[in-house]
Amino acid sequence: EYGTLPEFVYSFMNEGLISQFRPELKEMDDHRARVDFHYCPMLGGLTNMTKDEKELELLCDCAMETDRGLTDAVGLGFELGRTIAGGHDTCELCFKWKEKEA
């Protein structure tokens, strides 16, 4: 379990992730962090399946279920912003601490 959001983010941005996705930490405080990926190795495989932008966005969103499950398991919320599959320069991943129930 992670005690702080920065601990999670620095663990998430491991050597393998850095070499494959070229992440950039855009912002971070104790409650919210945004990491932009400058490359998506999965997109090449997905474009072999379809060239339709809407389908690519859906497949990308489905692939992000792993990240949603990982972050949920450690008590974080996860939001996927703009994506490379959607025609943007980067994929925006946002992490937030979930509010604790009283």
Side-chain angles (χ1 to χ4, degrees):
E1 189 167 312
Y2 299 94
T4 67
L5 181 59
E7 285 177 4
F8 170 81
V9 171
Y10 291 125
S11 175
F12 176 78
M13 291 178 59
N14 61 49
E15 189 174 307
L17 182 111
I18 290 170
S19 68
Q20 293 181 46
F21 293 91
R22 296 190 289 234
E24 176 184 5
L25 181 59
K26 295 297 280 189
E27 61 183 78
M28 182 166 56
D29 60 30
D30 290 338
H31 305 285
R32 184 178 188 280
R34 185 177 124 206
V35 177
D36 286 7
F37 288 179
H38 289 271
Y39 179 74
C40 178
M42 295 181 294
L43 192 56
L46 296 176
T47 56
N48 288 334
M49 297 169 56
T50 183
K51 303 289 186 224
D52 182 88
E53 187 175 293
K54 291 293 181 196
E55 285 183 20
L56 285 172
E57 286 182 86
L58 176 61
L59 291 169
C60 172
D61 190 59
C62 290
M64 299 311 291
E65 283 301 306
T66 302
D67 293 304
R68 289 183 184 101
L70 170 70
T71 54
D72 188 57
V74 298
L76 293 172
F78 174 85
E79 293 176 12
L80 180 62
R82 296 176 180 198
T83 64
I84 297 169
H88 300 279
D89 291 336
T90 62
C91 292
E92 300 172 348
L93 285 69
C94 293
F95 306 98
K96 292 190 251 183
W97 278 125
K98 290 182 180 180
E99 294 297 320
K100 304 272 187 206
E101 294 183 17

